[in-house]
Amino acid sequence: MKDADKYYMQMALDLAAKAMGRTSPNPMVGAVVVRGGEVVGRGYHARAGTPHAEVHALREAGNSARGATLYVTLEPCCHHGRTGPCTEAVIEAGISRVVLAMSDPNPLVAGKGVQRLREAGLQVETGVLEEASRKLNEVFIKYITTRLPFVVLKTAMSLDGKIATAGGESQWITGPYSREYVHHLRDRYDAILVGVGTVLADNPSLTARLPSGGGRDPVRVILDSRARTPQNAKVVTQASRAPTIIVTTPGAPPERVRALQEAGAEIIEVPREDAGVNLALLLRELGRREITGVLVEGGARINGSFVKANLVDKVYWFMAPKIIGGAEAPGPVGGSGFSRLNDALQVQDITIYRFGEDICLEGYAK
């Protein structure tokens, strides 16, 4: 792998990341056109339905694209979707060499784009900074291959593993820098999921409030098997471009369900399982609605349900330098737990961050 190829691919990855949280259900893609050692075109996919990264870069390059090398973070599409096939645009522009980070896991592409380019006589190389590209699009990869959303579990606790005092006080365990980063996470993922207990206790907004403004509110998903969410709760009444979905079960009183619908909430009914909703069926329904990533900010009970059902893909585990104590103070993961250590959820590929005095562990479920 040439150093120059890595350099320009990193440039393309940085361009792709500019659209973090804005391209769903599409991937983030960046492209760079290089001719004679000079960058003559740059582009990235800004949002679904708009031109792809390759098109933007080729337009900027113009006639300089002839005989040039195109660096792109994902295999160019070769089918008609919301936009035309990028392979044809690359061929028509006169590009002679294409360097890719990874193939497109979308079954509609999956190597067909590379095949089309090679059939047209272009030199194609793949696998340059592939791992970085896969991490950038981890949400898209999970969604496009399973039609299920990527599930991220976020929790905040004290050093001794408490998410609240024995009396129920929980705001705020972590400091302002951690809380600011959580709003960036909300801006990144399509949906945020909490239980009705959180709504009743805290009346949260569940919006993305970035310091610079311009945050994208996630779809609010409330697990509420008995439709107990108040009609005047902020998640129902606040002005937001994102809808609120309240997930009930067949046992929810019809009059409460109707009242929430009249107040503006959308209702999804799923079968009951144990003490709550069937999470696997809910995720399938959210995937059907093109919700590609879900940030779970639940309490101990909901966290425990996701962990026990093996539905977690990634975790953000915030730890504050506080010791709360108390045998009755809750921990971050409730439920029945695992009786054997070998059955416990293993977290791997760990990265540690520092936010002020807090520590955050980012990792992936094994």
Side-chain angles (χ1 to χ4, degrees):
M1 190 184 301
K2 300 175 184 176
D3 288 341
D5 287 345
K6 292 181 184 179
Y7 175 81
Y8 293 121
M9 186 61 75
Q10 186 59 59
M11 187 181 297
L13 286 167
D14 292 342
L15 285 168
K18 290 186 175 210
M20 181 76 72
R22 299 296 181 270
T23 62
S24 179
N26 288 356
M28 290 172 278
V29 183
V32 175
V33 180
V34 178
R35 181 176 179 181
E38 179 184 355
V39 175
V40 294
R42 300 176 180 86
Y44 66 94
H45 182 47
R47 62 182 56 86
T50 64
H52 289 184
E54 301 94 319
V55 173
H56 285 299
L58 292 172
R59 284 176 179 171
E60 183 178 295
N63 290 333
S64 296
R66 297 210 162 270
T69 296
L70 171 68
Y71 294 88
V72 62
T73 59
L74 190 69
E75 177 182 8
C77 63
C78 54
H79 65 286
H80 286 273
R82 293 174 179 171
T83 60
C86 288
T87 50
E88 303 314 303
V90 172
I91 294 167
E92 291 171 9
I95 291 289
S96 62
R97 178 174 177 253
V98 177
V99 180
L100 304 176
M102 61 176 287
S103 61
D104 191 338
N106 186 342
L108 294 174
V109 186
K112 300 183 185 71
V114 169
Q115 180 181 350
R116 173 70 183 110
L117 294 174
R118 284 175 173 159
E119 288 174 348
L122 281 71
Q123 179 186 351
V124 181
E125 298 178 33
T126 63
V128 177
L129 300 188
E130 180 174 358
E131 184 176 347
S133 181
R134 295 186 71 85
K135 183 169 184 179
L136 179 69
N137 276 309
E138 60 193 14
V139 173
F140 169 75
I141 292 170
K142 164 81 180 291
Y143 174 73
I144 203 66
T145 55
T146 67
R147 291 297 170 179
L148 295 172
F150 188 85
V151 176
V152 179
L153 178 62
K154 168 262 163 185
T155 194
M157 68 181 193
S158 62
L159 283 181
D160 57 336
K162 309 295 185 181
I163 62 172
T165 66
E169 183 182 352
S170 62
Q171 295 182 330
W172 296 99
I173 287 179
T174 52
Y177 296 107
S178 293
R179 299 198 296 272
E180 179 182 316
Y181 187 69
V182 170
H183 283 280
H184 284 281
L185 293 179
R186 292 179 179 182
D187 176 69
R188 182 181 305 175
Y189 296 105
D190 288 348
I192 179 172
L193 184 149
V194 302
V196 66
T198 297
V199 175
L200 295 174
D202 302 331
N203 192 23
S205 297
L206 302 183
T207 53
R209 301 182 295 279
L210 303 183
S212 59
R216 183 195 67 150
D217 290 344
V219 175
R220 293 168 291 278
V221 180
I222 315 299
L223 302 188
D224 186 3
S225 59
R226 299 286 297 170
R228 293 188 294 144
T229 301
Q231 297 169 53
N232 62 352
K234 288 180 182 178
V235 292
V236 177
T237 62
Q238 69 190 348
S240 174
R241 297 181 65 181
T244 292
I245 298 173
I246 297 179
V247 185
T248 65
T249 62
E255 64 276 10
R256 291 185 194 167
V257 172
R258 283 195 299 272
L260 287 169
Q261 288 175 317
E262 290 170 0
E266 186 178 346
I267 302 294
I268 294 178
E269 183 183 287
V270 298
R272 191 176 183 88
E273 183 179 68
D274 297 329
V277 303
N278 187 310
L279 295 177
L281 291 180
L282 171 61
L283 291 177
R284 191 181 306 168
E285 173 60 22
L286 295 179
R288 190 186 67 80
R289 294 167 181 246
E290 293 191 335
I291 291 176
T292 63
V294 176
L295 179 66
V296 177
E297 287 196 38
R301 178 180 167 187
I302 286 177
N303 293 347
S305 296
F306 272 92
V307 169
K308 192 66 182 288
N310 195 29
L311 297 174
V312 176
D313 295 298
K314 186 175 186 177
V315 301
Y316 284 96
W317 217 268
F318 292 85
M319 290 166 280
K322 299 175 182 176
I323 299 175
I324 294 173
E328 302 302 318
V333 180
S336 60
F338 299 100
S339 58
R340 290 161 32 90
L341 283 176
N342 284 343
D343 297 332
L345 176 66
Q346 299 288 327
V347 179
Q348 60 186 7
D349 299 331
I350 292 170
T351 305
I352 305 292
Y353 302 100
R354 181 84 176 263
F355 294 103
E357 295 300 312
D358 301 331
I359 293 171
C360 176
L361 181 151
E362 173 194 294
Y364 295 85
K366 185 174 180 180

